[in-house]
Amino acid sequence: MIEKIVYMVCQVLLVLFAAPLVEGIIKKVKARLQNRIGADLIQPYRDLFKYLRKDAVLAKEASWLTRTTPYLVFAIVLGSVSLLPMAALYSSLTFTGDIILLVYLFAVVRFFLAITALDSGSAFGGMGSSREMIMSAICEAALLLAVIAVLMQVGTTNLRVIVESLLTGGRDLFNYAYWLSFVAFLLVVIVETGRIPYDNPDTHLELTMIHEAMLLEYSGRYWGLLHWALLVKQILVFTLFIDLFIPWGIAKEFTGLAIFEGSIFYLLKVILLGILLAVIETVYAKMRLFKVPKLLAVSMALSVLAIVLQIAV
């Protein structure tokens, strides 16, 4: 029991402190691909430290909800870490339906960010929350369909059992359903992390803002907590993708050496996925807002095709 508690604490700490590093790598790769030098890899750590030291300035119309949401979102995201197998084939909270719980914890985070954006009465916040809710109605369906396309192969919603089944049975790389669900889920990863071509995380331009518009009323430690929580959520989305499609390298035995090796493989896979997203952001331009639902519709269509192929086989 003590070993598992220590492992859970180490897993949370690993995600907390690796999340800014992954963001720094993504930004550095983007800068180099665009013939820029860019900031160094530890710049996100400096930014978080700077935000967390500052006092928060809030609108006078803001209620207790605005002050509570950063802590609530941070707690929900940290709690979600215990649902996912990362370095080892073990998760602290494992039960039937945990993958469904994870999807809806993401939805809870989105809900609180949206209603908090409306709390201050800002026009930017209202615009961002309305856009986010419209997109989330499609995004959650696309995410669940992409997950179901994988679950049909293993027949369970328990993440630990899913990863174990995929490791034992393997994935048929010549199966069209695998690649259809792979691309469908990759599109969902882009949307959930708010990256190009869905959204641009590096701009505050009114015509393009979706995620960022909901956070503009925050400053200081509140903004620092929210920014850190969203970086951790990005890691969680990456981890879910890794668990469902590239679980190889995860430790099957609960020993110190196996967990250390699994941690190295896990970080390597997360960094490679981040580099892939950086390449996609460099190659593609930001889509027009009214064309974004088509991107999610493509993900849903690919997931449905993968499900049909799974049934046919």
Side-chain angles (χ1 to χ4, degrees), residues 137-139 141-143 145 184 187 295-305:
I138 313 173
C139 180
L143 176 57
L145 281 173
L187 293 176
L295 181 67
L296 293 169
V298 169
S299 175
M300 295 174 66
L302 292 175
S303 298
V304 171
L305 286 174

Side-chain angles (χ1 to χ4, degrees), residues 19 38 43 112 125 130 139 185 224 232:
Q43 185 60 43
F112 276 100
S130 63
C139 180
F185 205 99
V232 173

Side-chain angles (χ1 to χ4, degrees), residues 109-149:
V109 169
R110 184 181 293 113
F111 169 76
F112 276 100
L113 289 178
I115 62 173
T116 304
L118 297 171
D119 189 45
S120 63
S122 167
F124 280 106
M127 176 194 67
S129 61
S130 63
R131 289 177 176 179
E132 181 70 14
M133 288 297 98
I134 292 173
M135 299 304 174
S136 67
I138 313 173
C139 180
E140 289 174 13
L143 176 57
L144 284 173
L145 281 173
V147 167
I148 290 171

Side-chain angles (χ1 to χ4, degrees), residues 56-70:
V57 178
L58 299 176
K60 62 180 180 180
E61 294 85 4
S63 68
W64 61 269
L65 185 63
T66 300
R67 296 173 175 84
T68 306
T69 294

Side-chain angles (χ1 to χ4, degrees), residues 19-164:
L21 176 62
V22 173
E23 181 68 13
I25 292 173
I26 293 174
K27 289 186 175 182
K28 189 67 173 181
V29 171
K30 284 177 58 180
R32 299 307 299 171
L33 290 174
Q34 296 168 4
N35 292 324
R36 297 184 290 111
I37 296 177
D40 55 33
L41 300 181
I42 63 173
Q43 185 60 43
Y45 293 100
R46 297 194 191 100
D47 293 339
L48 284 176
F49 183 69
K50 176 182 67 176
Y51 297 143
L52 293 174
R53 285 191 306 159
K54 288 186 175 182
D55 292 331
V57 178
L58 299 176
K60 62 180 180 180
E61 294 85 4
S63 68
W64 61 269
L65 185 63
T66 300
R67 296 173 175 84
T68 306
T69 294
Y71 300 101
L72 183 62
V73 168
F74 195 78
I76 291 173
V77 170
L78 281 189
S80 302
V81 174
S82 59
L83 292 171
L84 287 163
M86 294 181 179
L89 193 59
Y90 170 79
S91 55
S92 305
L93 298 177
T94 178
F95 54 90
T96 301
D98 53 1
I99 192 170
I100 306 299
L101 174 62
L102 182 66
V103 171
Y104 282 98
L105 284 176
F106 291 161
V108 170
V109 169
R110 184 181 293 113
F111 169 76
F112 276 100
L113 289 178
I115 62 173
T116 304
L118 297 171
D119 189 45
S120 63
S122 167
F124 280 106
M127 176 194 67
S129 61
S130 63
R131 289 177 176 179
E132 181 70 14
M133 288 297 98
I134 292 173
M135 299 304 174
S136 67
I138 313 173
C139 180
E140 289 174 13
L143 176 57
L144 284 173
L145 281 173
V147 167
I148 290 171
V150 179
L151 298 186
M152 289 189 65
Q153 180 179 346
V154 294
T156 180
T157 54
N158 186 311
L159 269 168
R160 185 185 63 80
V161 178
I162 291 171
V163 177
E164 188 175 11

